[in-house]
Amino acid sequence: MPEHTAASRLGLSGLCFLLQILNILLFAVFVRYSPESSPGQCPPQLNCSRRNSDSGFQQPRSQGVPIQVLLSLGLLVAFLCRYGPGSAATSILIIAFAIQWAVLIQGIFYFLLNGKIHVGAQSLVSADFCTAAVLISTGAVLGRVNPVQLLLLALLEVTVCTLNEFILLSLMGVSDSGRSLTLHTFGAYFGLVVSRFLHQPHKDKGKREELQSMGQQRDVFAVLGTIFLWIFWPSFTSNAENWAVLNTYFSLVASTVATFILSPVLCEESTPRMVQIQDATLAGMAVMGMAGEMLVTPFGALIAGFLVGLISPLGFRFLTPVLHSRLKIQDTCGVHNTHGLPGILGALLGTLLTLLATADTYGDRLELVFPLVAQGSRTVTHQALIQLSALPLTLLLAALGGCLTG
């Protein structure tokens, strides 16, 4: 055992050294700061309809996204009794590496100009979103992988996640500013497929017993994570002025109330535990990822949040045991119920709302949400079909990437 522990430490140290040296060399050769320019002076090689200048309304997002990734999603994978402090430290390691790697990989797809990757605030925001998907996947395999394996998971997932995002947002023109598909759905099912390949019956039994004894420690982390989710997440869900902010808040409050309705019935407790409220918060965010900037209307956001707030505890109660017994998937943090299912529902809701995308209903916002429809190069029906086709494509890429990683 001492030799094995020493080998594990040296393996982690060596891999961190090699990956960091690789990042430094690639940054030195390819990465440069983006030149200051207005949207009208944007080079034709860059898709500036998606990546506006790094000033103005982008600044809050560039500050809020890293806070969410580190404090909110990072705390989700730091609750196991035996692995709490270590999980938090590993989360920081994954974040530190994945952001660097995402800047490079996304730069190749998005920001490459004359052989150089031009980075700015928006490129960092995009890298943070991709890192958040990695953290979601980590939640599905936590407790059964070591830091070396998590680094390799991040290395592969960032690459596939960027490919999926590039195909959906740039090539297909899908509207998914809040990342129902490219973050929540992709991250959840990528991690679930990896978890399937890691299935070991004897060890998984021990992990289930540990999950039952999480107790107070997880609730402490859940309090902190939930607070930061409520404060920061709605503020950077979209560029379409305040629609997405309001819709996300309405969804959050409705999903939280739904948890107080159903959780006491399913769990036989007078009030839900804090971790259940955190799950409802995540589900309310995920369902508004695509639809939030569309014409949901306030009552529509309340309905969507309420429904997803019911689905999440039902999934934990009835669907999670089926995933483990029938499909041999041990979902440690329950990412299927808090990210996967709400992400799929958000994508379907966004597809339906796309059919309402007209100049009369959206006004000037139509150019921000559906630029191709506003320009007349697509009909709303065509755009809705594109939005719908993005869901199976995301699931396919997540499954293939998860198989390779697993």
Side-chain angles (χ1 to χ4, degrees):
M1 177 64 73
E3 291 78 12
H4 176 74
T5 303
S8 300
R9 292 199 306 266
L10 291 176
L12 176 61
S13 177
L15 182 60
C16 288
F17 176 79
L18 291 176
L19 291 177
Q20 188 57 48
I21 293 299
L22 175 64
N23 281 333
I24 290 174
L25 293 176
L26 292 176
F27 266 71
V29 174
F30 296 106
V31 178
R32 300 291 183 271
Y33 286 120
S34 178
E36 294 292 334
S37 61
S38 64
Q41 298 172 330
C42 181
Q45 290 88 338
L46 299 181
N47 183 356
C48 295
S49 63
R50 286 189 60 240
R51 294 168 297 281
N52 296 324
S53 62
D54 292 330
S55 60
F57 64 84
Q58 291 289 358
Q59 192 62 27
R61 296 189 92 195
S62 65
Q63 296 173 351
V65 178
I67 294 174
Q68 284 292 0
V69 171
L70 183 60
L71 294 177
S72 300
L73 296 178
L75 288 174
L76 293 180
V77 295
F79 64 82
L80 292 183
C81 293
R82 287 178 55 199
Y83 306 104
S87 297
T90 303
S91 297
I92 295 175
L93 170 63
I94 299 304
I95 292 168
F97 166 72
I99 287 176
Q100 297 176 72
W101 189 243
V103 167
L104 290 167
I105 299 300
Q106 292 184 340
I108 295 174
F109 284 97
Y110 292 126
F111 305 106
L112 192 65
L113 181 63
N114 298 326
K116 302 296 180 183
I117 298 172
H118 292 264
V119 300
Q122 184 57 27
S123 57
L124 182 60
V125 169
S126 298
D128 283 324
F129 273 123
C130 191
T131 301
V134 175
L135 288 177
I136 291 172
S137 300
T138 301
V141 299
L142 185 67
R144 291 174 294 144
V145 291
N146 57 45
V148 171
Q149 293 171 315
L150 287 178
L151 280 174
L152 296 177
L153 182 147
L155 182 73
L156 293 170
E157 182 171 2
V158 165
T159 305
V160 182
C161 180
T162 301
L163 175 63
N164 179 65
E165 180 181 303
F166 179 74
I167 293 174
L168 265 60
L169 304 185
S170 291
L171 299 184
M172 297 174 60
V174 174
S175 177
D176 188 26
S177 181
R179 304 307 209 277
S180 277
L181 286 175
T182 56
L183 193 162
H184 296 283
T185 303
F186 181 90
Y189 287 98
F190 186 100
L192 290 172
V193 174
V194 174
S195 179
R196 174 61 183 86
F197 279 86
L198 296 177
H199 174 66
Q200 295 177 302
H202 300 294
K203 292 185 178 181
D204 284 348
K205 181 180 178 180
K207 300 307 174 186
R208 292 199 305 272
E209 295 173 352
E210 182 182 1
L211 285 172
Q212 294 173 355
S213 63
M214 288 184 299
Q216 186 177 2
Q217 183 176 2
R218 185 180 184 185
D219 282 331
V220 172
F221 286 117
V223 170
L224 298 175
T226 304
I227 289 173
F228 282 102
L229 286 171
W230 274 74
I231 293 174
F232 290 102
W233 191 276
S235 64
F236 61 83
T237 50
S238 174
N239 298 333
E241 299 183 24
N242 59 359
W243 276 14
V245 176
L246 295 174
N247 288 330
T248 303
Y249 270 122
F250 290 139
S251 179
L252 290 180
V253 297
S255 62
T256 301
V257 173
T259 299
F260 279 83
I261 295 173
L262 199 54
S263 292
V265 177
L266 297 177
C267 302
E268 298 182 355
E269 296 179 355
S270 58
T271 58
R273 296 178 60 180
M274 193 65 203
V275 67
Q276 294 169 324
I277 299 174
Q278 184 188 46
D279 293 337
T281 302
L282 288 165
M285 295 184 320
V287 77
M288 283 293 112
M290 177 184 290
E293 64 178 359
M294 300 179 188
L295 196 62
V296 183
T297 70
F299 80 91
L302 289 174
I303 293 174
F306 180 77
L307 292 177
V308 81
L310 297 176
I311 290 174
S312 180
L314 285 172
F316 276 105
R317 179 65 176 83
F318 299 106
L319 189 55
T320 297
V322 174
L323 287 177
H324 183 265
S325 61
R326 299 292 180 85
L327 301 180
K328 310 303 179 184
I329 296 176
Q330 180 67 36
D331 185 4
T332 307
C333 294
V335 298
H336 184 241
N337 305 302
T338 57
H339 297 278
L341 288 178
I344 290 177
L345 294 175
L348 295 176
L349 177 60
T351 299
L352 294 175
L353 293 172
T354 302
L355 298 174
L356 302 177
T358 63
D360 293 335
T361 56
Y362 277 67
D364 295 337
R365 291 182 175 91
L366 186 62
E367 177 67 27
L368 291 173
V369 183
F370 299 109
L372 296 178
V373 174
Q375 297 165 10
S377 57
R378 276 185 186 173
T379 64
V380 291
T381 303
H382 185 195
Q383 183 66 41
L385 291 175
I386 292 295
Q387 299 284 132
L388 182 61
S389 63
L391 175 57
L393 179 58
T394 296
L395 294 175
L396 175 63
L397 289 175
L400 292 177
C403 287
L404 175 63
T405 304

